[in-house]
Amino acid sequence: MSHAYVVNTHEAIVDANKDFVSAFGKGDAAGVAALYTENGQILPANVGVITGREGIQGFWQAVMNMGIKSARLETVEVEDFGETALEIGKYTLCGAKDQVLDSGKYLVIWKKDSDHWHLHRDIWTTSMPASK
Amino acid sequence: MSHAYVVNTHEAIVDANKDFVSAFGKGDAAGVAALYTENGQILPANVGVITGREGIQGFWQAVMNMGIKSARLETVEVEDFGETALEIGKYTLCGAKDQVLDSGKYLVIWKKDSDHWHLHRDIWTTSMPASK
């Protein structure tokens, strides 16, 4: 007997974030980059827009090389438009002793590709005070 | 004879940005804030999420008080979901002598309220190098 298995988009996004956190925690920048769409973009501070998985991998590798060992993501809000979803959440980036090195908020445009949600546009800002 | 007047969403967003630029150029932080939804949010760097027009007005007033006299906005990408639209663009903030004080990129979730588009979620990052 077939069994309809329905996952709502909010849960699907939370699950996709678990994949992000898992790959990040392994230091697997290629695995993180693979969670983005082929033409995915990140919009980090202090550089221009970075497009495509190769560039995205390089960015996250550089972040890991700076000593950031793990990421935590907390979904705050999801809006679902079928093949597109919007997520606002909070992130925390930690060092080797699990100390918080950065925390802030993010907005991600997700795209659904067959059964999988991929990050398509990803922008975040630190909530930590500016260094003087 | 009635005349159907159709504006596509890309044009409507570009027009709404002109209102933002105009209010900003007049130093009218309340006018800028009025372009957001009632429960609009901005996600600036170095502070937490700011919700609602009063807080948004206060933020932009503080930016103006820092000597930023004008904003330029360039729409790069718009995706339309009916009552919601996503925009990615580039911004430039200038001082009294029109010198560029900041430039970067932004992602805005717009919401349509009757005929008007309002900024609902607004996040941007500078593209300038980090100060050492």
Side-chain angles (χ1 to χ4, degrees):
Chain A
M1 184 180 143
S2 77
H3 186 83
Y5 180 56
V6 176
V7 179
N8 74 37
T9 299
H10 190 286
E11 287 169 23
I13 299 296
V14 168
D15 278 349
N17 279 334
K18 286 179 187 164
D19 293 338
F20 189 105
V21 166
S22 171
F24 200 102
K26 290 175 196 156
D28 179 8
V32 171
L35 301 173
Y36 289 79
T37 59
E38 294 274 358
N39 57 345
Q41 290 185 332
I42 55 175
L43 289 73
N46 307 126
V47 294
V49 174
I50 296 171
T51 302
R53 288 176 178 161
E54 189 177 337
I56 291 171
Q57 177 180 342
F59 176 85
W60 289 120
Q61 186 64 60
V63 168
M64 292 167 183
N65 293 350
M66 285 169 63
I68 295 181
K69 298 300 181 193
S70 68
R72 291 200 298 268
L73 302 173
E74 181 196 340
T75 300
V76 173
E77 177 177 284
V78 171
E79 262 198 292
D80 184 5
F81 300 96
E83 305 298 298
T84 300
L86 309 179
E87 182 202 8
I88 288 183
K90 297 176 184 174
Y91 75 84
T92 308
L93 301 177
C94 297
K97 296 173 181 171
D98 214 34
Q99 76 277 30
V100 173
L101 296 177
D102 187 21
S103 66
K105 56 279 177 204
Y106 62 84
L107 173 50
V108 172
I109 303 175
W110 293 83
K111 293 284 180 186
K112 195 175 180 179
D113 166 19
S114 63
D115 265 359
H116 289 83
W117 286 97
H118 291 277
L119 298 96
H120 186 57
R121 301 288 182 260
D122 183 12
I123 181 168
W124 63 93
T125 56
T126 182
S127 295
M128 292 186 153
S131 49
K132 299 292 175 181
Chain B
M1 184 180 142
S2 77
H3 186 82
Y5 181 55
V6 176
V7 179
N8 74 37
T9 299
H10 191 287
E11 287 170 23
I13 298 297
V14 168
D15 279 349
N17 279 333
K18 286 179 187 164
D19 294 338
F20 189 104
V21 166
S22 171
F24 200 102
K26 290 176 197 156
D28 179 10
V32 172
L35 301 173
Y36 289 80
T37 60
E38 294 273 0
N39 56 345
Q41 291 185 331
I42 56 175
L43 290 73
N46 307 125
V47 292
V49 175
I50 296 171
T51 302
R53 289 177 178 161
E54 189 177 338
I56 292 171
Q57 177 180 343
F59 176 85
W60 288 119
Q61 185 65 59
V63 169
M64 292 168 183
N65 292 350
M66 285 169 63
I68 295 181
K69 299 300 181 192
S70 67
R72 292 200 297 268
L73 302 172
E74 181 196 340
T75 300
V76 173
E77 178 177 281
V78 172
E79 263 199 290
D80 184 6
F81 300 97
E83 307 296 298
T84 301
L86 309 179
E87 182 201 8
I88 289 183
K90 297 177 185 173
Y91 74 82
T92 308
L93 301 177
C94 296
K97 295 173 181 171
D98 214 36
Q99 76 277 31
V100 173
L101 296 177
D102 188 21
S103 66
K105 55 277 178 205
Y106 63 84
L107 173 50
V108 173
I109 303 176
W110 293 84
K111 293 284 180 185
K112 195 176 180 179
D113 166 19
S114 63
D115 265 359
H116 289 83
W117 286 96
H118 291 276
L119 298 96
H120 186 57
R121 300 288 181 261
D122 182 11
I123 182 170
W124 63 94
T125 56
T126 182
S127 294
M128 293 186 152
S131 48
K132 298 292 176 181

